[in-house]
């Protein structure tokens, strides 16, 4: 597997492979970073899909973030402070942010590893554009949020992208979806259910069976590990599904290799629309802080101080 990038962060070395695999190595007992390795970045609140459980509350009339100035420079200071090979996970939504191409090219120039997530409907609508972004390495990873697992054309289209991962949500993913993902040996990321935005009312409606779907998914997880090409989780899903107990019981060394650390240890969340930051995207409004000209390292250290994370 080709090495995409390597860098030193605090007391350890990071290697990123072309398939997205990350390897950390240190001669000490724990990893203590100086700056964030990853950031989830919301670049737009505009989205035509209207998902009833959208935790960010995106709408077709939502606002885009200020990404680029007219002279081709970044629109927000923190963007200049990214270290080479930092991974940014951005939301593409309808892929109609007017500065998206310029932003991706500038990030490429800075050797930033950008991954983008789109809805399945948006993916199918913009296949050629996404192939272009992938071919010219303007994006590396592509996440596609599952909407309809019964669409065979969708699974065929996925095969044309080397680093594509199907994004699913615990509490939304049903048994039929799980079986189809296994049948297609898909690469799957399972996200935890966020009780924020429209996700609050959706979960409260008993007809949506969020808790039942989480229980079903917990039952299917061992089979998914066997039949899907890759299964990964965000930290919220690990907690909601009891992944450590379910899949790594009495396997501490395997867990240590699998688990990439608590939120805030190596990551942070940035809302580029409202220009705030937080430990992760699950945080309520009172724990989303104004960027106010901070650098990436400043924001990272603020989070670590705020939540008493060792550094």
């Amino acid at each position: 597997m080709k090495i995409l990038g390597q860098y030193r962060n605090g007391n350890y070395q990071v290697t990123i492979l072309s398939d997205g695999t990350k390897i950390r190595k240190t001669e000490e007992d724990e990893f203590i970073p100086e700056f964030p390795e990853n950031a989830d970045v919301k670049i737009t609140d505009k989205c035509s899909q209207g998902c009833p459980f959208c935790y960010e509350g995106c709408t077709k009339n939502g606002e885009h973030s200020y990404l680029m100035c007219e002279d081709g420079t970044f629109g927000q200071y923190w963007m200049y402070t990214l270290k080479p090979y930092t991974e940014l996970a951005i939301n593409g939504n309808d892929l109609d942010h007017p500065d998206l191409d310029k932003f991706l090219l500038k990030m490429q120039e800075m050797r930033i590893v950008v991954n983008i997530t789109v809805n399945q409907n948006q993916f199918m609508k913009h296949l050629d554009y996404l192939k272009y972004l992938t071919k010219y390495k303007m994006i590396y990873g592509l996440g596609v949020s599952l909407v309809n697992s019964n669409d065979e054309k969708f699974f065929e289209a996925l095969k044309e992208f080397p680093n594509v991962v199907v994004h699913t949500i615990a509490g939304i993913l049903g048994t039929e979806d799980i079986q189809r993902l296994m049948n297609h040996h898909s690469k799957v990321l399972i996200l935890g259910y966020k009780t924020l935005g429209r996700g609050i009312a959706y979960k409260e409606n008993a007809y949506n069976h969020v808790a039942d779907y989480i229980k079903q998914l917990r039952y299917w997880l061992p089979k998914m590990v066997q039949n899907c090409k890759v299964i990964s989780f965000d930290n919220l899903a690990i907690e909601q599904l009891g992944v450590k107990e379910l899949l790594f019981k009495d396997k501490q060394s395997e867990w240590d290799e699998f688990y990439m650390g608590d939120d805030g240890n190596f990551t942070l969340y940035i809302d580029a629309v409202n220009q705030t930051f937080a430990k992760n995207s699950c945080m309520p409004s009172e724990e989303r802080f104004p960027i106010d000209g901070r650098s990436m390292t400043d924001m990272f250290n603020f989070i670590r101080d705020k939540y008493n994370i060792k550094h």
Side-chain angles (χ1 to χ4, degrees), residues 22 75 97 256:
K22 177 183 286 186
H97 194 299
D256 290 342

PDB file of all heavy atoms in Angstrom, residues 22 75 97 256:
ATOM      1  N   LYS A  22      -4.394   4.686   8.997  1.00  0.00           N
ATOM      2  CA  LYS A  22      -3.496   5.544   9.762  1.00  0.00           C
ATOM      3  C   LYS A  22      -2.739   4.707  10.777  1.00  0.00           C
ATOM      4  O   LYS A  22      -3.328   3.880  11.484  1.00  0.00           O
ATOM      5  CB  LYS A  22      -4.275   6.644  10.475  1.00  0.00           C
ATOM      6  CG  LYS A  22      -3.403   7.535  11.362  1.00  0.00           C
ATOM      7  CD  LYS A  22      -4.223   8.560  12.105  1.00  0.00           C
ATOM      8  CE  LYS A  22      -4.673   9.664  11.178  1.00  0.00           C
ATOM      9  NZ  LYS A  22      -5.345  10.764  11.880  1.00  0.00           N
ATOM     10  N   GLY A  75     -10.844  32.210   3.230  1.00  0.00           N
ATOM     11  CA  GLY A  75     -11.752  33.168   3.852  1.00  0.00           C
ATOM     12  C   GLY A  75     -11.694  33.176   5.357  1.00  0.00           C
ATOM     13  O   GLY A  75     -12.239  34.082   5.989  1.00  0.00           O
ATOM     14  N   HIS A  97     -21.590  24.488  -3.272  1.00  0.00           N
ATOM     15  CA  HIS A  97     -20.884  25.622  -2.668  1.00  0.00           C
ATOM     16  C   HIS A  97     -20.057  26.285  -3.765  1.00  0.00           C
ATOM     17  O   HIS A  97     -19.247  25.628  -4.425  1.00  0.00           O
ATOM     18  CB  HIS A  97     -19.971  25.155  -1.532  1.00  0.00           C
ATOM     19  CG  HIS A  97     -19.477  26.270  -0.668  1.00  0.00           C
ATOM     20  ND1 HIS A  97     -18.700  27.312  -1.170  1.00  0.00           N
ATOM     21  CD2 HIS A  97     -19.634  26.536   0.658  1.00  0.00           C
ATOM     22  CE1 HIS A  97     -18.413  28.146  -0.194  1.00  0.00           C
ATOM     23  NE2 HIS A  97     -18.966  27.707   0.930  1.00  0.00           N
ATOM     24  N   ASP A 256      -6.839  -1.915  21.445  1.00  0.00           N
ATOM     25  CA  ASP A 256      -5.873  -0.816  21.462  1.00  0.00           C
ATOM     26  C   ASP A 256      -5.443  -0.436  20.051  1.00  0.00           C
ATOM     27  O   ASP A 256      -5.204   0.741  19.756  1.00  0.00           O
ATOM     28  CB  ASP A 256      -4.647  -1.200  22.290  1.00  0.00           C
ATOM     29  CG  ASP A 256      -4.966  -1.292  23.779  1.00  0.00           C
ATOM     30  OD1 ASP A 256      -6.002  -0.742  24.201  1.00  0.00           O
ATOM     31  OD2 ASP A 256      -4.185  -1.934  24.506  1.00  0.00           O
TER      32      ASP A 256
END
